[in-house]
């Protein structure tokens, strides 16, 4: 059992932190009236967030938050006013389980149906939980989960329209990753670049590029030797870059119903990370270059410097094993390796990789200015720990200039626990001003047990406004901002 430490010694307590992992059963739609500060009048558009909204079904606990049903929140800003809405994605699994008021599916990260291993053995049905990201592209609002098709939602009401096959690009059962990038300038137009993974003894990576209307521009597939657990990727004008983390998958406990698929992945310290570089030109040739071991979920950005690719990512010394008997709510933060920002320089001529740290403060959910995606850049924003070293929950938003080493931190400690920051450029800003805009983040306040929408000035990292919601929002995953909605 974890011993609770005094709040004076630490910026957080685990007891406070876990209050943010409670189901939100209700769906809301209201104007936010309780606020501090002023919503910038030129901030116009909608912040969309996705994440697990339910941490239990009919009293049965979900083993890991990654298994929770997707709930999308929308915070719309207009003329200095804000409105909040949230709706669950009506996936097939969500609707069936809500009717039955019990878990009918196993989760990838260990959630088991009641009834022990016998009830779970050889049940390979995948529940599309649509809980990881939400994007607005080509006139469609799409909730994404990496192992299945997107769900389309009404961008105004968040009602579920249904599975979306992207105009026939996807087939039923196809995957579509939850981490698309928008290349800001592809022959003068923005373009959505995403991938899909088909696992197996060797892994098939399919790359998709869509124009602003949502029409497919190109699609090509590549086979990578071995099992791959790939959640995110990075892009440059000419390449898509994947890290094949050194993991091993043993499917036997999963097949026997003893463990979830995600619990059967083990990290291999003795193996390198493979950097998989696929040219965006479908005629190009894939390269695979080994690098030092480590585990990466998220990339911050990448760019080309001559024949060198620079890739900045949040890396962990190891993948924390998802333990089947362990409740994630009992986590001992200090015992885990922190996520830290590392730079890899991949020399395509010599096929060698150099690795160096950019930021050792525990951080995750990195983001850069949308115009700098795939280009040389200086400023990263991320959710970060309040304290400069060690692993801890994210209570602060970090702004790091990776060129000058300058750091600025806005902290919500001791009560606040932040989510991914979303950078919104000021509409009148110079296109290359990397911090002329706002950072939007949802903060869970453990004192009030409600959540707040926080607006920071990205240039000064000062608080512009804190909009208090009437309830909490469980800790979420990813989201985006749409100026059009
Ligand atoms: Co992610």
């Amino acid at each position: 059992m974890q011993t609770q430490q005094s709040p004076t010694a630490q910026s957080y307590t685990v007891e406070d932190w876990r209050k943010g992992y409670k189901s939100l059963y209700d769906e809301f739609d209201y104007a936010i009236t309780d606020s501090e500060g002023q919503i910038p009048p030129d901030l116009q558009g909608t912040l969309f967030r996705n994440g697990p909204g339910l941490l239990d079904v009919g009293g049965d606990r979900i083993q890991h938050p990654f298994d929770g049903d997707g709930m999308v929140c929308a915070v719309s800003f207009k003329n200095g006013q804000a409105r909040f809405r949230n709706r669950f994605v009506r996936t097939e699994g969500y609707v069936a389980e809500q009717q039955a008021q019990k878990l009918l599916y196993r989760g990838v990260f260990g959630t088991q149906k009641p009834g022990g291993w016998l009830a779970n053995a050889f049940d390979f049905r995948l529940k599309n939980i649509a809980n990881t990201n939400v994007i607005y592209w080509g006139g469609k609002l799409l909730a994404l989960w990496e192992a299945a098709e997107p769900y389309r939602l009404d961008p105004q009401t968040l009602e579920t329209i249904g599975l979306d096959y992207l105009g026939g690009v996807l087939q039923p059962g196809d995957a579509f990753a939850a981490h698309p990038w928008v290349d800001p300038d592809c022959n003068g137009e923005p373009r959505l670049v995403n991938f899909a993974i088909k696992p197996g003894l060797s892994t098939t990576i399919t790359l998709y590029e869509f124009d602003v209307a949502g029409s497919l521009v190109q699609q090509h597939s590549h086979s990578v030797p071995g099992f791959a657990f790939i959640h995110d990727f990075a892009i440059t004008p000419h390449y898509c870059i994947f890290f094949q983390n050194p993991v091993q998958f043993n499917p036997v406990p999963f097949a026997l119903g003893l463990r979830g698929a995600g619990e059967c992945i083990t990290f291999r310290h003795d193996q390198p990370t493979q950097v998989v570089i696929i040219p965006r030109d479908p005629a190009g040739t894939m390269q695979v270059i080994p690098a030092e071991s480590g585990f990466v979920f998220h990339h911050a950005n990448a760019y080309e410097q001559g024949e060198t690719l620079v890739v900045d990512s949040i890396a962990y010394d190891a993948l924390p094993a998802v333990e089947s008997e362990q409740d994630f709510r009992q986590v001992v933060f200090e015992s885990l390796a922190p996520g830290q920002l590392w730079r890899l320089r991949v020399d395509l001529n010599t096929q060698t990789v150099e690795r160096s740290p950019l930021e050792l403060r525990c951080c995750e959910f990195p983001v850069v200015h949308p115009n700098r995606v795939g280009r040389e850049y200086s400023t990263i924003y991320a959710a970060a720990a309040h304290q400069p070293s060690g692993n801890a929950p994210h209570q602060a938003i970090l702004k790091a200039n990776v060129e000058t080493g300058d750091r600025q931190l806005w902290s919500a400690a001791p009560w606040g626990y932040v989510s991914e920051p979303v950078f919104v450029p000021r509409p009148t800003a110079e296109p290359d001003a990397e911090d002329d805009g706002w950072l939007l983040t949802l903060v869970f306040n453990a004192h009030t047990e409600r959540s707040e929408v926080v607006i920071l000035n990205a240039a000064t990292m000062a608080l512009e406004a804190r909009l208090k919601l009437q309830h909490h929002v469980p800790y979420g995953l990813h989201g985006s901002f749409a100026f059009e909605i």
Side-chain angles (χ1 to χ4, degrees):
M1 239 342 251
Q2 152 96 347
T3 318
Q4 287 295 322
Q5 299 191 12
S6 137
T8 51
Q10 244 181 355
S11 64
Y12 69 94
T13 68
V14 174
E15 197 178 36
D16 274 349
W17 167 79
R18 68 171 161 245
K19 289 176 187 168
Y21 272 130
K22 283 185 189 148
S23 297
L24 177 64
Y25 301 109
D26 298 318
E27 296 181 317
F28 296 89
D29 182 0
Y30 59 91
I32 306 171
T33 52
D34 188 2
S35 60
E36 284 168 24
Q38 266 205 317
I39 300 171
D42 44 350
L43 173 60
Q44 307 254 3
T46 299
L47 171 70
F48 292 106
R49 304 285 313 152
N50 199 351
L54 290 184
L55 284 307
D56 69 280
V57 175
D60 294 329
R61 269 189 167 192
I62 281 163
Q63 174 80 12
H64 193 283
F66 291 173
D67 284 341
D69 287 301
M71 184 191 75
V72 172
C73 298
V75 185
S76 307
F77 301 96
K78 200 173 182 186
N79 305 326
Q81 306 289 320
R83 187 168 193 89
F84 177 88
R85 250 174 273 128
N86 72 306
R87 300 287 306 248
F88 282 91
V89 186
R90 263 51 177 189
T91 63
E92 196 187 332
Y94 171 86
V95 170
E97 290 189 338
Q98 287 306 303
Q99 273 167 5
Q101 273 303 295
K102 63 177 187 185
L103 293 170
L104 302 174
Y105 292 80
R106 308 169 69 186
V108 172
F109 288 91
T111 301
Q112 300 280 46
K113 296 182 289 182
W117 69 272
L118 203 56
N120 291 280
F122 304 107
D123 182 352
F124 301 118
R125 293 173 310 148
L126 207 54
K127 179 186 173 194
N128 180 350
I129 47 180
N131 74 354
T132 312
N133 202 348
V134 54
I135 58 160
Y136 184 72
W137 187 261
K140 292 177 181 177
L141 186 68
L142 300 170
L144 304 178
W145 183 64
E146 66 197 28
E149 312 94 319
Y151 267 91
R152 184 175 175 188
L153 313 176
D154 182 308
Q156 301 295 339
T157 64
L158 301 182
E159 278 171 277
T160 303
I161 297 169
L163 285 171
D164 195 275
Y165 294 97
L166 307 176
V169 172
L170 301 180
Q171 301 300 313
D174 274 357
F176 193 66
H179 273 285
W181 286 99
V182 177
D183 181 335
D185 181 8
C186 201
N187 306 320
E189 292 272 319
R191 204 184 262 189
L192 190 82
V193 186
N194 200 16
F195 70 98
I197 293 279
K198 194 173 168 205
L201 290 178
S202 65
T203 302
T204 305
I205 300 178
T206 302
L207 294 175
Y208 303 95
E209 302 204 9
F210 298 89
D211 67 15
V212 283
S215 300
L216 184 75
V217 179
Q218 60 181 40
Q219 171 184 348
H220 45 116
S221 296
H222 302 263
S223 180
V224 178
F227 173 78
F229 177 68
I230 296 174
H231 172 68
D232 189 12
F233 74 141
I235 65 165
T236 69
H238 297 102
Y239 298 99
C240 291
I241 304 152
F242 298 85
F243 285 10
Q244 188 181 12
N245 294 298
V247 293
Q248 185 171 295
F249 179 63
N250 173 6
V252 175
F254 171 65
L256 292 180
L258 298 170
R259 286 173 159 239
E263 295 172 300
C264 299
I265 295 174
T266 44
F267 185 78
R268 295 286 304 266
H269 279 282
D270 55 327
Q271 308 259 326
T273 288
Q274 302 288 355
V275 182
V276 177
I277 300 151
I278 303 178
R280 287 174 60 185
D281 176 352
T285 307
M286 180 178 83
Q287 298 180 63
V288 180
I289 304 176
E292 219 173 302
S293 182
F295 192 89
V296 168
F297 283 109
H298 294 128
H299 299 284
N301 202 10
Y303 59 91
E304 297 167 23
Q305 218 169 35
E307 288 298 297
T308 297
L309 298 180
V310 179
V311 190
D312 295 340
S313 317
I314 307 287
Y316 298 80
D317 279 346
L319 168 72
V322 182
E323 300 289 348
S324 52
E325 296 306 317
Q326 196 191 326
D327 186 340
F328 71 92
R329 297 165 184 87
Q330 306 293 338
V331 63
V332 180
F333 281 94
E334 298 75 18
S335 70
L336 300 174
Q340 295 167 320
L341 184 64
W342 285 77
R343 170 162 287 182
L344 250 60
R345 298 180 61 85
V346 183
D347 187 322
L348 297 177
N349 279 333
T350 60
Q351 303 268 299
T352 54
V353 179
E354 269 176 40
R355 188 172 184 258
S356 57
L358 290 178
E359 173 61 58
L360 295 177
R361 184 187 291 262
C362 163
C363 57
E364 247 304 351
F365 298 123
V367 64
V368 301
H369 189 295
N371 288 347
R372 302 317 302 162
V373 168
R375 277 79 183 159
E376 283 199 53
Y377 77 105
S378 62
T379 305
I380 278 183
Y381 307 96
H386 174 78
Q387 64 225 45
S389 63
N391 186 49
H394 304 134
Q395 294 189 283
I397 301 295
L398 173 72
K399 175 186 180 184
N401 186 315
V402 294
E403 295 300 320
T404 64
D406 284 350
R407 300 288 186 265
Q408 287 166 273
L409 193 79
W410 178 84
S411 178
W415 302 113
Y417 296 85
V418 307
S419 59
E420 172 191 67
V422 172
F423 178 82
V424 183
R426 189 187 305 277
T428 53
E430 293 295 323
D432 282 342
E434 290 187 46
D435 63 359
D436 194 357
W438 306 279
L439 292 163
L440 309 181
T441 186
L442 274 177
V443 179
F444 172 70
N445 182 327
H447 184 59
T448 61
E449 297 193 39
R450 294 179 179 188
S451 295
E452 299 164 354
V453 181
V454 161
I455 306 171
L456 303 179
N457 180 315
T460 61
M461 293 300 280
L463 181 77
E464 297 250 6
R466 187 196 299 271
L467 318 177
K468 297 175 187 174
L469 302 183
Q470 298 173 5
H471 46 81
H472 82 295
V473 174
Y475 298 125
L477 293 166
H478 301 289
S480 55
F481 190 84
F483 287 94
E484 307 93 317
I485 306 296

